Amino acid sequence: MTPASKGEREVAEEILTESEILLRNTKAVMADKGYDSVNLRKFIEEKGMIAVIPPRHMWGEEDSRQYKDYPLYYNQDEEVFYRTEDFQLILLVYKGTDSLRYGFHPKYNDNRIFRINRSEDIRIFPKVSQ
């Protein structure tokens, strides 16, 4: 139990700092959306663990964002899309455990792989697919 006056992210950092012995063999930390913040994710990763926290919806009316100048778009539900020349969006499939790689579903007969840099938004592009 935590006091209502303290924020969830602040409490999480305290727990992770004070529980180093318990967390020695921990590989991942799972939490709900209330714990979503870039700072907490970085804090968890600095401790050598993976943060598995769904992102809060913070984009307002914006549905998706373009990744750099590529025909790739992503949304807050961690989905990545490829935009065709006729402006159709094709949902890509997460293809990599070693990096953020996305590709087409086999039904499209397209073997292209797209790599996305996590630094674009570490909330949307976690180290592991959720």
Side-chain angles (χ1 to χ4, degrees), residues 13-26 43 46-49:
E13 285 186 20
E14 286 177 18
I15 291 169
L16 293 173
T17 301
E18 294 171 8
S19 304
E20 296 239 5
I21 295 171
L22 295 173
L23 298 173
R24 194 171 291 155
N25 294 320
T26 302
F43 180 83
E46 286 170 1
K47 298 280 185 189
M49 298 175 281

Side-chain angles (χ1 to χ4, degrees), residues 9-94:
R9 292 178 296 277
E10 180 184 343
V11 171
E13 285 186 20
E14 286 177 18
I15 291 169
L16 293 173
T17 301
E18 294 171 8
S19 304
E20 296 239 5
I21 295 171
L22 295 173
L23 298 173
R24 194 171 291 155
N25 294 320
T26 302
K27 297 195 181 354
V29 174
M30 295 179 73
D32 66 24
K33 292 181 186 194
Y35 293 89
D36 177 37
S37 79
V38 172
N39 290 340
L40 181 59
R41 288 173 188 275
K42 286 181 180 177
F43 180 83
I44 290 169
E45 289 179 10
E46 286 170 1
K47 298 280 185 189
M49 298 175 281
I50 296 171
V52 183
I53 305 169
R56 290 178 291 143
H57 290 267
M58 298 172 31
W59 293 358
E61 296 298 315
E62 192 178 8
D63 290 334
S64 64
R65 294 182 176 173
Q66 185 174 6
Y67 178 68
K68 299 187 179 182
D69 287 331
Y70 303 122
L72 298 177
Y73 291 80
Y74 62 94
N75 62 25
Q76 292 188 87
D77 294 326
E78 302 173 26
E79 296 173 317
V80 178
F81 301 88
Y82 177 81
R83 190 195 74 217
T84 64
E85 291 177 5
D86 59 349
F87 300 101
Q88 290 182 329
L89 292 177
I90 298 172
L91 178 64
L92 297 178
V93 179
Y94 182 78

